[in-house]
Amino acid sequence: MSLRSRFALAFAAVGAVVAVTVGALSYLAASDSVFAEVDRTLRSTTVALTRGMEKRQEETPAAPAGQSPGRDPDTRTPAPFPGLDLPAPGGEAAPQPVLQAVGRDGTPIRLSGPLAKLPVSDAARALAASGEAGQSDTTEIDAGGHSYRLLTTALGESRGALQVAVQVDQTRQVLAGMARQIAAVSLAVMLVAAAAGRLLAGRVTRRLARLAEVAEEVSTDGRVTHYATEPVDGRDEVGRLSASFSTMLGRMVAAREAQERLVHDAAHELRTPLTSLLANATVLHRVGELSPDSRDRLLDDVRHETRELGHLVDELVELALAGGREETEESVDLAEVARRAARRVYRRSGRLVHVDADGSVVRGRPQGLERAVGNLLENAAKFDADGDEPIEVRIRRGAVTVHDRGPGITADDTRRVFDRFYRADSARGLPGSGLGLAIVHDVAEAHGGSVSAGARPGGGASVGFTVSRSRLLPASRPPTDAVAAD
């Protein structure tokens, strides 16, 4: 069953429960009110009849023993409080109440009404024989093909009881019609709720259905290039889910494109050292024919190509893992990061590094930031290998810039130095794979920042990266000057 159908059924069920509950409560309230009015009419009639009997007893001599005092079969006592059983204007006459006395021995005595007599139950006999004055019992009976509501009231002092009954067929019909109307309204409410639920579910699930289609497409062939740019409407939970899913797909597309680009670039870059090693390996088959100098040059070339290949593989692995590695973010002192990277560069190259930091503390990934600073310093040491002046690191408000005094960088190269495997003309003869600055770019992008490259005033290059200002934390120290050395 689809989600849309489930929504429709849920709305229909809720509507049905609400309609039935309200209808049942309304029916019970109406029924109680109607029969309360009928009972009030019965009590009023009983009171009037009792007063009439008492008045006649005062005016009539005592009756012989064994006979009930003062009874008039033709007495008509109209209901003083007309109820729902009375006809509308122009309708049929309302049924007359049935009046009956019950002797203390349980003998019924007809007083008036369309029935010859009313049935006397055990409860009525008990009231007539020993009931206290005013004690009563209400019940419903069937007599003469009609339904009656019967009120039996004890006269007290073993004087018997009075019974008053009124026909309630019309009342039952009114209540039955009300029940049918409530059932029809409940059914209509249920159908309207189901239709509204299906319509609303269609609007809500339309975007979910689209998400499901895209997810199925991704799971089938792993390629999605069109959904990430589709506009997403709505600010509700489904809209937010659609926007998040769209962003996720966009990142998946970008990651897949970056992965494919990395594979193609890596294949291209690996082909050169592998070709060289293959050629050298072919020459090694004739190593006995080579002069000692040629053999030494060949072995040096093999070692050099092997080192370069190993370095390239290491950087490829590092670059591939950089985006997927989950590193916990924490407070990072950029000055301390720069000093650790400077000490490592000094051990490898013997170059001093001058750190000028303002005490910037950022929220970030310490290993990634240290790797980025280290790559900048190693790149500067490589291009300024013959320099005597320290390499300068300047840190201001989350921006890290490394200054060297090497050959500098051209305007054309500034736009491409952070591309993977790109190497400027001046770097063709230097070791490296062209991935160091690409890693710097990825680290900066992961921290919401950017990269920059340009010429240093006075000669050399200035290359660096920034961290998003939103990641800056309150500085813990004033600006410091330090030279890293072992």
Side-chain angles (χ1 to χ4, degrees):
M1 183 181 296
S2 65
L3 186 59
R4 184 176 182 181
S5 299
R6 292 182 181 179
F7 265 110
L9 289 178
F11 272 81
V14 172
V17 170
V18 172
V20 170
T21 302
V22 173
L25 294 176
S26 302
Y27 177 82
L28 292 176
S31 178
D32 291 342
S33 298
V34 169
F35 282 108
E37 184 67 20
V38 172
D39 293 342
R40 190 177 66 83
T41 301
L42 294 175
R43 288 193 296 270
S44 299
T45 304
T46 301
V47 171
L49 180 60
T50 302
R51 290 177 179 176
M53 292 176 62
E54 291 176 351
K55 185 175 181 181
R56 284 194 297 271
Q57 285 180 349
E58 294 175 356
E59 298 174 354
T60 305
Q67 296 183 2
S68 297
R71 65 179 185 269
D72 183 3
D74 296 328
T75 301
R76 294 291 184 268
T77 307
F81 301 100
L84 295 179
D85 286 332
L86 295 181
E92 298 179 356
Q96 295 296 320
V98 180
L99 308 179
Q100 178 173 287
V102 181
R104 61 185 178 184
D105 58 353
T107 303
I109 303 171
R110 180 181 179 276
L111 299 180
S112 67
L115 295 179
K117 64 177 181 177
L118 295 171
V120 181
S121 63
D122 294 338
R125 291 189 179 92
L127 289 175
S130 58
E132 298 180 359
Q135 188 175 357
S136 63
D137 175 69
T138 303
T139 185
E140 291 191 17
I141 61 173
D142 291 327
H146 298 283
S147 295
Y148 289 85
R149 193 165 181 87
L150 173 63
L151 173 65
T152 303
T153 306
L155 297 175
E157 300 177 357
S158 300
R159 292 185 299 165
L162 291 177
Q163 289 185 315
V164 180
V166 65
Q167 186 176 324
V168 293
D169 289 339
Q170 185 178 355
T171 301
R172 289 295 181 189
Q173 292 174 1
V174 171
L175 292 177
M178 182 183 297
R180 289 191 293 271
Q181 291 177 354
I182 291 175
V185 171
S186 300
L187 179 60
V189 169
M190 182 182 67
L191 295 177
V192 170
R198 185 169 180 81
L199 178 62
L200 181 61
R203 294 178 60 86
V204 172
T205 60
R206 183 175 62 252
R207 290 171 289 178
L208 293 178
R210 178 61 181 146
L211 292 180
E213 293 175 1
V214 175
E216 291 172 354
E217 181 181 348
V218 174
S219 63
T220 301
D221 57 15
R223 289 181 177 273
V224 174
T225 58
H226 58 278
Y227 184 81
T229 59
E230 291 185 359
V232 179
D233 56 346
R235 297 183 179 179
D236 56 1
E237 289 79 359
V238 177
R240 288 161 51 197
L241 175 62
S242 299
S244 300
F245 196 80
S246 179
T247 302
M248 181 189 70
L249 289 179
R251 291 181 176 178
M252 287 178 58
V253 171
R256 186 180 182 89
E257 292 176 350
Q259 182 185 34
E260 293 178 350
R261 187 169 62 252
L262 175 63
V263 171
H264 292 313
D265 292 344
H268 178 269
E269 293 297 322
L270 288 172
R271 189 176 296 114
T272 299
L274 288 176
T275 302
S276 178
L277 286 174
L278 180 60
N280 290 331
T282 304
V283 175
L284 286 175
H285 284 290
R286 298 183 291 109
V287 67
E289 303 175 6
L290 300 177
S291 64
D293 292 340
S294 298
R295 285 197 301 268
D296 292 339
R297 286 196 303 271
L298 178 61
L299 293 176
D300 290 340
D301 191 24
V302 170
R303 282 194 295 268
H304 175 74
E305 293 292 342
T306 304
R307 282 195 302 268
E308 287 297 316
L309 182 60
H311 183 64
L312 176 60
V313 171
D314 290 341
E315 288 196 334
L316 283 173
V317 172
E318 184 65 32
L319 185 63
L321 295 178
R325 180 184 292 115
E326 290 294 334
E327 185 180 354
T328 304
E329 293 189 352
E330 57 187 63
S331 298
V332 180
D333 185 349
L334 292 181
E336 184 59 31
V337 166
R339 291 190 183 93
R340 289 198 300 267
R343 285 192 289 268
R344 186 168 61 250
V345 170
Y346 179 80
R347 287 194 300 268
R348 294 178 179 176
S349 64
R351 291 297 301 275
L352 293 177
V353 178
H354 182 84
V355 179
D356 178 14
D358 65 351
S360 294
V361 179
V362 300
R363 177 175 52 83
R365 302 169 183 174
Q367 294 182 8
L369 292 171
E370 185 173 344
R371 187 180 308 113
V373 176
N375 285 356
L376 291 176
L377 292 175
E378 290 178 359
N379 191 69
K382 178 174 63 175
F383 283 92
D384 191 16
D386 299 330
D388 296 329
E389 296 293 329
I391 299 171
E392 298 177 2
V393 178
R394 182 180 174 86
I395 300 174
R396 291 292 186 272
R397 300 288 294 168
V400 180
T401 307
V402 175
H403 305 280
D404 64 56
R405 292 172 173 79
I409 183 171
T410 65
D412 293 336
D413 291 335
T414 57
R415 294 190 296 268
R416 302 187 58 189
V417 290
F418 294 99
D419 293 344
R420 294 172 180 175
F421 302 108
Y422 177 76
R423 304 186 71 185
D425 293 337
S426 59
R428 298 296 181 182
L430 298 176
S433 61
L435 290 176
L437 294 184
I439 295 175
V440 174
H441 175 273
D442 290 349
V443 172
E445 189 178 60
H447 289 79
S450 59
V451 292
S452 61
R456 173 184 174 274
S462 296
V463 185
F465 69 94
T466 64
V467 175
S468 172
R469 289 296 182 91
S470 62
R471 291 179 171 269
L472 279 174
L473 302 177
S476 57
R477 293 183 307 279
T480 61
D481 250 355
V483 176
D486 252 358

